[in-house]
Amino acid sequence: MSKVAEMGLYNYLVSKNIPGVKEKSAFDTLRKGTSLYGAPQRFTDIYEIISGAVKLGRLSPKGKECVYEIVTPGEFFGNLAFLPDAPFNEFSKTLTATEIRSYDLNFLKHLMTHDPEVAELFYGKIVERWNKTESLLFYIRSYEPRKRIEMLQEAMHKKIMTAVNKEVYLDKIISLQDMADLTATTRQLVADTLHSEL
């Protein structure tokens, strides 16, 4: 395990006396349902989840939320702006009381190109999220709807700690509609499937 992965990004940067780290980062505790950014906001800070969970998604043309990912402690999110002309229409909203650390985008991108350990951490985190997305797409294409719902519930049945020191299971805090979005099914089918398992 690399030093930055072992210590955490912020502690690593402080230990290396990186100039500007305290000015270019912030720590916040957010209530459940807080929006960090939303479409059409083009540029964002980069957020690290310390505790809690955040849902990411897009708005439909009619303004309806469609969730495509749940991020949890240790994950980073926001617009890294690696694709300069690509549209960024994401929204983010906390699912629980959540502690986050935000980093200025340009500061973080500078670190990624000048500190190999920071670069290794971020490339690993990007690949993890990419793999998570590919797995979700594979499940949607390979399994019938009820099986997708069961698999998602099993994957989400993990404990996280919220910002108010409460342990919760992810599958208990996401809505039926969020589960439907993540499995390309309907809220009704999710409710029926989960009810029949009881």
Side-chain angles (χ1 to χ4, degrees):
M1 177 181 285
S2 72
K3 188 174 179 182
V4 66
E6 187 178 306
M7 296 176 74
L9 179 61
Y10 182 77
N11 291 334
Y12 170 80
L13 298 176
V14 169
S15 76
K16 287 195 70 175
N17 294 316
I18 301 293
V21 69
K22 292 184 179 174
E23 295 80 20
K24 298 290 186 178
S25 64
F27 178 83
D28 287 303
T29 302
L30 307 170
R31 295 192 333 217
K32 177 182 177 177
T34 302
S35 176
L36 286 113
Y37 56 81
Q41 187 174 341
R42 179 84 172 92
F43 298 102
T44 69
D45 284 341
I46 301 303
Y47 300 94
E48 175 185 16
I49 300 181
I50 309 301
S51 65
V54 173
K55 64 181 177 178
L56 306 176
R58 283 192 172 191
L59 296 179
S60 74
K62 294 182 179 179
K64 180 179 172 263
E65 288 185 358
C66 181
V67 173
Y68 54 67
E69 188 172 8
I70 306 294
V71 286
T72 57
E75 293 188 277
F76 292 81
F77 63 99
N79 186 8
L80 277 169
F82 283 143
L83 305 172
D85 297 327
F88 183 76
N89 297 311
E90 186 172 88
F91 74 83
S92 63
K93 193 178 287 184
T94 58
L95 285 167
T96 67
T98 301
E99 294 174 311
I100 59 154
R101 186 171 307 279
S102 59
Y103 299 90
D104 174 79
L105 173 64
N106 292 324
F107 172 72
L108 203 53
K109 286 175 88 169
H110 173 80
L111 290 172
M112 290 173 70
T113 58
H114 290 79
D115 187 317
E117 289 204 56
V118 173
E120 181 182 356
L121 172 77
F122 267 90
Y123 294 136
K125 295 291 184 181
I126 290 167
V127 170
E128 282 176 17
R129 290 209 29 220
W130 188 0
N131 181 57
K132 189 164 59 165
T133 300
E134 286 181 338
S135 296
L136 191 57
L137 290 172
F138 172 76
Y139 296 149
I140 289 169
R141 292 289 297 147
S142 302
Y143 296 101
E144 60 92 17
R146 287 186 188 276
K147 182 66 175 170
R148 295 194 302 253
I149 294 164
E150 291 167 0
M151 291 173 79
L152 178 66
Q153 185 188 28
E154 186 177 311
M156 292 281 180
H157 192 71
K158 64 179 182 180
K159 279 186 202 175
I160 62 164
M161 187 67 73
T162 72
V164 293
N165 290 325
K166 181 179 176 187
E167 282 187 341
V168 296
Y169 283 96
L170 274 178
D171 64 322
K172 303 299 182 199
I173 61 170
I174 64 173
S175 71
L176 296 177
Q177 185 58 56
D178 292 345
M179 287 189 83
D181 291 347
L182 291 166
T183 56
T185 59
T186 66
R187 187 186 62 75
Q188 236 174 336
L189 184 62
V190 171
D192 184 56
T193 302
L194 297 179
H195 180 72
S196 67
E197 289 181 359
L198 298 177

